[in-house]
Amino acid sequence: MLSTTIALMKAARENGYALGAFNVYNLEGVRAVGAAAEMEHSPAIVQIHPSALRHGGIPLVALCLAAAQEASVPIAVHLDHSTSPDEIRAVLAAGVTSIMADGSGLSYADNLAFTREMVALTHEHKGTVEAELGRLAGTEDDLTVEEYEARFTDPDQAVDFLVQTGTDALAVCIGNIHGRYRGEPCLDFDRLDAIRKAVSVPLVLHGASGLPEGMVRRAIELGVCKFSVNTELREAYLGALRDHLAESPDLLTLMQSATDAMKGVVSAKLQLFGSAGKA
Ligand code: G3H
Ligand code: ZN
């Protein structure tokens, strides 16, 4: 059934687990998340990156919403990392109730102004806003942020940001990166603890691909209730196509292989995040 990110995060927080938010690009991605969530009796979030939205447009949004409505478990649909008021307006009009207004590439003053405006717009539609404070290094689709440009979330600034913007959920930067980690990830859990003590909104951790189990569990203990996962899904998709292309040039068989490979990744994450069995 179609749910909302805020309702799912509230339940996750109350019950000590986290949600998986999985980036999807097409039908195979949407089917993989839905099938894994149903298999694991888990809530889940399908999210659309702006580059996927530019590719699939509103039909991709409609696909996500329809699949969520059809599912036997609660699924929310979220617009990920948007920097565009027009894009946010378009998905809200299409029925999405959860967006990330990503002003992390702006100066603090401009991030405040952008986020405040997107919160007002989204709340008019009864939706909820996730924003990011600090800046995440790494690559996701057409967005690359170099390591020297990365900034960690400052707990005091987070308090000011939330008071000034009315943001509903906060994506934190504590050493997490988009894409593959080079070597062992190094997350600043003391900073996460300080953020959690300073703010009351749900916390979100992007760049969850490749995070070791222990770190995921620690992050959940310290208040993270939504993890964003993309790279591992894309790798599974492309790996399945590579592995099966030579032996089976049939298109539907290839599409099914890609779906199954992504479903396996989603299923393992839902177990790791503790949401399996919670729907
Ligand atoms: O917004 C999406 C996520 O932060 C994905 O990060 O590709 O490192 O899993 P990832
Ligand atoms: Zn992200």
Side-chain angles (χ1 to χ4, degrees), residues 202-214:
L203 302 179
V204 179
L205 197 78
H206 284 247
S209 292
L211 280 184
E213 286 185 24

Side-chain angles (χ1 to χ4, degrees), residues 188-272:
D188 185 345
F189 286 115
D190 290 341
R191 182 177 295 270
L192 180 59
D193 193 30
I195 297 167
R196 185 201 47 167
K197 287 180 173 140
V199 309
S200 58
V201 298
L203 302 179
V204 179
L205 197 78
H206 284 247
S209 292
L211 280 184
E213 286 185 24
M215 288 191 184
V216 168
R217 293 214 173 88
R218 185 83 185 112
I220 296 172
E221 282 167 14
L222 292 175
V224 169
C225 64
K226 171 176 176 259
F227 289 95
S228 288
V229 185
N230 187 349
T231 299
E232 284 188 50
L233 289 178
R234 282 200 313 245
E235 287 176 357
Y237 189 129
L238 293 171
L241 292 187
R242 264 193 302 270
D243 291 350
H244 296 279
L245 189 55
E247 75 195 39
S248 171
D250 173 65
L251 182 57
L252 280 171
T253 309
L254 279 176
M255 288 159 70
Q256 191 58 50
S257 312
T259 306
D260 292 344
M262 288 188 286
K263 183 181 164 191
V265 172
V266 174
S267 164
K269 294 295 180 204
L270 296 175
Q271 290 177 23
L272 176 59

Side-chain angles (χ1 to χ4, degrees), residues 23 47 49 80-81 100 102 130 132 136 140 143 171 176-179 204-208 226 228-230:
N23 285 83
Q47 59 183 16
H49 191 272
D80 197 23
H81 285 295
M100 179 182 187
D102 187 357
E130 172 187 328
E132 181 174 306
L136 224 63
E140 190 171 19
L143 178 70
N176 43 319
I177 63 161
H178 282 146
V204 179
L205 197 78
H206 284 247
K226 171 176 176 259
S228 288
V229 185
N230 187 349

Side-chain angles (χ1 to χ4, degrees), residues 8 11 25 37 94 131 136 142 154 162 186 193 207 229 261:
L8 296 185
Y25 292 78
L136 224 63
D142 51 2
D154 177 84
L162 293 169
C186 182
D193 193 30
V229 185

Side-chain angles (χ1 to χ4, degrees), residues 92 97 99 116-130 165-169:
L92 289 171
T97 57
I99 62 117
R116 204 183 285 128
E117 200 186 323
M118 294 306 104
V119 167
L121 173 67
T122 307
H123 285 181
E124 271 171 35
H125 285 77
K126 309 265 179 282
T128 49
V129 175
E130 172 187 328
T165 62
T167 297
D168 305 291

